[in-house]
């Protein structure tokens, strides 16, 4: 019987998921049929929710940085 490996949210919630040595070994074992790799739907849904939340936070930070830059440029323009 082929062993089954379930990935959870924590194993995929990193900057570059499935890119470290252990992850590459798991992928190779899966491709060769030595293990069965499973990513449950609930994990994919949770990750997509987390990534969307992170994207929204980054967009807000970018908007604030752009506003601050524009204000600084306006102040510099007033001084000239």
């Amino acid at each position: 019987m082929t062993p089954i490996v379930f990935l959870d949210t924590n194993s995929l919630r990193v900057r570059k998921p499935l890119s470290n040595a252990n992850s590459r070994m798991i992928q190779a074992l899966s491709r060769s049929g030595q293990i069965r790799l499973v990513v449950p739907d609930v994990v994919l849904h949770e990750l997509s929710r987390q990534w969307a939340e992170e994207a929204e936070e980054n967009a807000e930070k970018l908007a604030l940085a752009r506003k601050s830059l524009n204000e600084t440029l306006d102040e510099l323009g007033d001084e000239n």
Side-chain angles (χ1 to χ4, degrees), residues 9 12 39-51:
T9 306
L12 298 173
V39 182
D41 281 344
V42 68
V43 170
L44 295 176
H45 290 289
E46 176 64 15
L47 285 172
S48 66
R49 185 195 63 76
Q50 290 175 3
W51 289 334

Side-chain angles (χ1 to χ4, degrees), residues 4-40:
I4 300 173
V5 175
F6 287 88
L7 294 182
D8 70 1
T9 306
N10 293 330
S11 66
L12 298 173
R13 181 74 170 120
V14 292
R15 172 122 354 246
K16 294 181 179 178
L18 301 176
S19 62
N20 67 25
N22 289 335
S23 296
R24 288 193 302 271
M25 181 174 47
I26 288 173
Q27 292 175 51
L29 290 170
S30 177
R31 280 192 297 272
S32 69
Q34 295 178 39
I35 65 169
R36 181 174 170 210
L37 186 58
V38 176
V39 182

Side-chain angles (χ1 to χ4, degrees), residues 56-68:
E56 287 176 15
E57 289 171 3
N58 289 337
E60 289 174 9
K61 289 178 187 176
L62 179 60
L64 287 173
R66 185 175 42 240
K67 180 182 178 202
S68 177

